[in-house]
């Protein structure tokens, strides 16, 4: 594998393989130098540290995640799209901690994910260190005061099996032992800058067994202006609108810039294909925020953030202008109404058509549009409008197709959804992704 240095010349010779183990400390945008370029069709491997809680309790971060340095893709231009085919994904952490959050007032300016400061010495984004374990263990390097802007209102510590199949929450004694070796248990990569959330050792619900189903919560392409990485979306991003810190912007500026990489969509896992907008030259593919498991909605606000390794293959889709991502989900993840029919079902359809004189039968394939907004109603409308805009189908036709051949599914509260339906193959061919759909679902 080859790791290239920053300040990439997009005209330099592309490489076919690239590994990324450098991170952006909470920001994503044009100011971040890109690695690469990676060839169209090339393989990208990333080792990612946990998202959310670790960066949240690390005051130097100006975003809620720690994502990989972006990678330029050869031939990707503004107005194109990049298909990211996830070939493999595995959790490398032995344990993590998560739960429901609360804020510590007086330690942030408008947004505790973005603009933290030390309430004792007044230092903005102070460097910090860990002393001992527990919720007061995060200390300001400048004055020694306890400095975390976050608390657990209810939390847990959870351990993972090596096969990424099952997990188990632990009691306080075990949580304390894990906290004493937090970085190793979290498997923080060498260049990660966050504190391990295991240091807080909050263990309110021991003995809960849970399935593992790893996925990436933040994956996509670079927005057209600098954003906190956790706010590259409409629901979290709404807190940037007229914010008092340096990332404050108008609603129009946010929606023009973001690429909706932060989706917390649990079907963005091994085997799927994610098609992302290109809003900067080279696309700037990045990823992070792996979760060991999560049901639809991320109801607690946070799930089991962990370190992990992901391998993807990238492919440029020319002249496909997107406002947000398209997802080709695994067959098992598709809603039942959107699954392609098997040979027996297709024969039944032909027989039904013969009976009634309907001889023309549409060829179709599944497609999912990510919708985002300030709340779920806005997100659903956004996803439906994106579907109509990209496919060229009338909006009301999209409503009908999503009703009888698809579904609306929550990805994250308060405002990220999946709009899925069976789309005519001639439409998918026209927009340039028919080959990806046929390959993914083994369609003739």
């Amino acid at each position: 594998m080859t790791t290239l240095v920053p300040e990439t010349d997009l005209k330099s010779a592309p490489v076919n393989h690239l590994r990324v183990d450098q991170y952006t400390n909470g920001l994503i945008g044009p100011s971040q130098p890109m690695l690469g370029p990676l060839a169209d069709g090339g393989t990208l491997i990333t080792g990612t540290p946990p998202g959310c809680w670790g960066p949240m309790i690390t005051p130097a971060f100006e975003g809620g995640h720690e994502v990989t340095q972006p990678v330029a893709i050869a031939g990707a231009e503004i107005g194109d799209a990049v298909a990211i085919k996830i070939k493999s994904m595995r959790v490398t952490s032995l344990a993590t901690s998560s739960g429901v959050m609360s804020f510590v007032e007086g330690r942030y300016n408008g947004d505790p994910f973005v603009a933290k400061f030390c309430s004792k010495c007044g230092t903005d984004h102070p460097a910090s260190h860990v002393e001992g374990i527990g919720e007061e263990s995060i200390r300001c390097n400048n004055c020694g005061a306890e400095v975390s802007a976050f608390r657990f209102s209810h939390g847990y510590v959870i351990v993972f099996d090596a096969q990424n199949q099952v997990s188990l929450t632990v009691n306080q004694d075990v949580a304390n032992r894990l906290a004493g070796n937090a970085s190793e248990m979290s498997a923080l990569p060498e260049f990660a800058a966050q504190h391990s959330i295991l240091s807080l050792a909050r263990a309110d619900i021991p003995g809960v067994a849970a399935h593992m189903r790893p996925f990436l919560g933040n994956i996509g392409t670079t927005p057209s202006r600098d954003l906190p990485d956790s706010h590259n979306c409409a629901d979290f991003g709404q807190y940037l609108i007229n914010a008092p810190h340096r990332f404050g912007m108008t609603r129009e500026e946010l929606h023009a810039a973001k690429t909706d990489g932060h989706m917390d969509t649990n079907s963005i896992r091994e085997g799927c294909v994610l098609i992302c907008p290109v809003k900067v030259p080279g696309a700037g593919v990045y990823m992070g925020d792996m979760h060991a498991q999560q049901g639809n909605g991320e109801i607690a606000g946070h799930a089991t953030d962990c370190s992990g390794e992901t391998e993807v293959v990238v492919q440029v889709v020319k002249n496909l202008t997107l406002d947000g991502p398209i997802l080709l989900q695994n067959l098992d993840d598709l809603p039942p109404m959107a699954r392609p029919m098997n040979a027996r079902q297709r024969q039944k359809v032909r027989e039904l058509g013969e009976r009634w004189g309907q001889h023309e039968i549409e060829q179709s394939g599944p497609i999912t549009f990510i919708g985002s907004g300030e709340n779920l109603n806005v997100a659903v409308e956004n996803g439906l409008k994106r579907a109509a805009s990209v496919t060229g189908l009338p909006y009301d036709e999209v409503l009908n197709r999503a009703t009888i051949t698809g579904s609306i599914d929550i990805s994250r509260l308060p405002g990220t959804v999946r709009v899925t339906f069976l789309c005519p193959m001639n439409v998918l061919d026209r927009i340039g992704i028919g080959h990806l759909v046929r390959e993914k679902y083994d369609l003739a």
Side-chain angles (χ1 to χ4, degrees):
M1 307 302 292
T2 304
T3 301
L4 301 186
V5 296
E7 306 296 350
T8 292
D9 180 357
L10 294 178
K11 295 181 180 179
S12 62
V15 297
N16 291 317
H17 294 83
L18 185 65
R19 182 181 180 91
V20 180
D21 54 7
Q22 301 279 352
Y23 313 105
T24 68
N25 289 354
L27 298 181
I28 193 69
S31 71
Q32 296 293 330
M34 293 187 192
L35 300 174
L38 179 65
D40 184 4
T43 297
L44 172 62
I45 296 177
T46 63
T48 52
C52 293
W53 277 103
M56 284 160 52
I57 64 168
T58 307
F61 278 54
E62 292 183 274
H65 293 157
E66 190 171 16
V67 301
T68 56
Q69 191 171 351
V71 171
I73 309 303
E77 301 172 316
I78 295 173
D80 294 336
V82 171
I84 303 172
K85 303 176 181 180
I86 301 181
K87 297 300 183 181
S88 66
M89 184 182 298
R90 67 183 182 94
V91 172
T92 54
S93 292
L94 300 177
T96 194
S97 179
S98 191
V100 179
M101 68 183 176
S102 62
F103 306 145
V104 181
E105 297 299 330
R107 294 183 181 176
Y108 59 93
N109 182 24
D111 188 332
F113 292 91
V114 176
K116 308 174 186 71
F117 61 87
C118 177
S119 58
K120 182 176 180 180
C121 68
T123 304
D124 289 329
H125 311 293
S128 57
H129 61 279
V130 179
E131 289 185 15
I133 65 174
E135 65 179 14
E136 297 185 355
S137 63
I138 311 302
R139 298 283 169 167
C140 175
N141 281 3
N142 185 54
C143 70
E146 194 269 306
V147 74
S148 176
F150 293 90
R151 289 284 191 271
F152 283 120
S153 61
H154 189 274
Y156 55 90
V157 173
I158 189 167
V159 294
F160 307 126
D161 82 323
Q163 289 73 43
N164 285 194
Q165 297 295 312
V166 297
S167 59
L168 181 67
T169 63
V170 299
N171 62 35
Q172 192 63 59
D173 288 342
V174 178
N176 291 345
R177 293 203 307 270
L178 293 172
N181 196 16
S183 293
E184 182 178 342
M185 294 298 101
S186 295
L188 292 180
E190 178 182 0
F191 299 110
Q194 66 179 268
H195 303 311
S196 170
I197 189 57
L198 286 170
S199 296
L200 271 61
R202 184 66 178 265
D204 292 329
I205 47 172
V208 177
H211 301 282
M212 289 180 66
R213 203 162 183 260
F215 72 97
L216 284 172
N218 198 345
I219 174 174
T221 47
T222 297
S224 60
R225 66 181 289 168
D226 285 354
L227 298 174
D229 51 13
S230 54
H231 292 41
N232 183 20
C233 51
D235 48 2
F236 273 72
Q238 67 181 300
Y239 300 108
L240 300 178
I241 297 172
N242 301 321
H245 50 73
R246 72 186 184 100
F247 295 104
M249 61 189 71
T250 66
R251 186 180 190 278
E252 290 73 22
E253 289 171 332
L254 170 67
H255 284 259
K258 67 182 178 64
T259 59
D260 279 349
H262 183 201
M263 292 172 277
D264 284 328
T265 295
N266 59 14
S267 54
I268 300 179
R269 61 190 187 97
E270 184 175 308
C272 81
V273 180
L274 183 67
I275 306 170
C276 303
V278 176
K279 292 193 174 184
V280 298
V285 172
Y286 74 92
M287 59 193 75
D289 191 32
M290 185 179 289
H291 295 192
Q293 67 261 106
Q294 178 198 298
N296 286 341
E298 199 176 25
I299 303 303
H302 297 283
T304 48
D305 311 306
C306 54
S307 297
E309 186 163 283
T310 304
E311 179 178 338
V312 306
V313 171
V314 297
Q315 182 175 334
V316 176
V317 181
K318 299 300 292 183
N319 303 312
L320 176 58
T321 301
L322 301 176
D323 181 50
I326 292 172
L327 177 60
L328 305 184
Q329 302 184 76
N330 292 343
L331 192 63
D332 290 346
D333 294 330
L334 284 169
M337 301 304 289
R339 294 175 185 174
M341 291 188 177
N342 58 35
R344 183 175 180 276
Q345 290 170 322
R346 291 194 297 271
Q347 178 59 35
K348 288 286 189 182
V349 168
R350 287 191 292 270
E351 292 171 359
L352 184 62
E354 290 292 335
R355 177 182 176 187
W356 293 96
Q358 177 59 45
H359 303 295
E360 181 182 349
I361 301 171
E362 177 182 280
Q363 301 298 309
S364 61
I367 188 171
T368 298
F369 288 85
I370 301 297
S372 67
E374 294 85 351
N375 56 56
L376 289 178
N377 286 338
V378 175
V380 169
E381 183 178 21
N382 175 255
L384 292 166
K385 286 183 175 179
R386 284 176 171 177
S389 174
V390 171
T391 63
L393 298 171
Y395 180 79
D396 286 353
E397 181 176 333
V398 171
L399 298 184
N400 280 330
R401 289 180 177 275
T403 298
I404 65 172
T405 73
S407 181
I408 307 294
D409 297 287
I410 299 172
S411 286
R412 178 181 62 229
L413 294 172
T416 304
V417 302
R418 284 161 284 184
V419 175
T420 305
F421 60 95
L422 289 170
C423 184
M425 286 304 305
N426 63 338
V427 172
L428 298 176
D429 287 333
R430 174 170 49 78
I431 67 176
I433 64 171
H435 65 293
L436 294 172
V437 175
R438 288 186 178 89
E439 177 186 13
K440 172 61 184 168
Y441 301 110
D442 195 23
L443 303 177

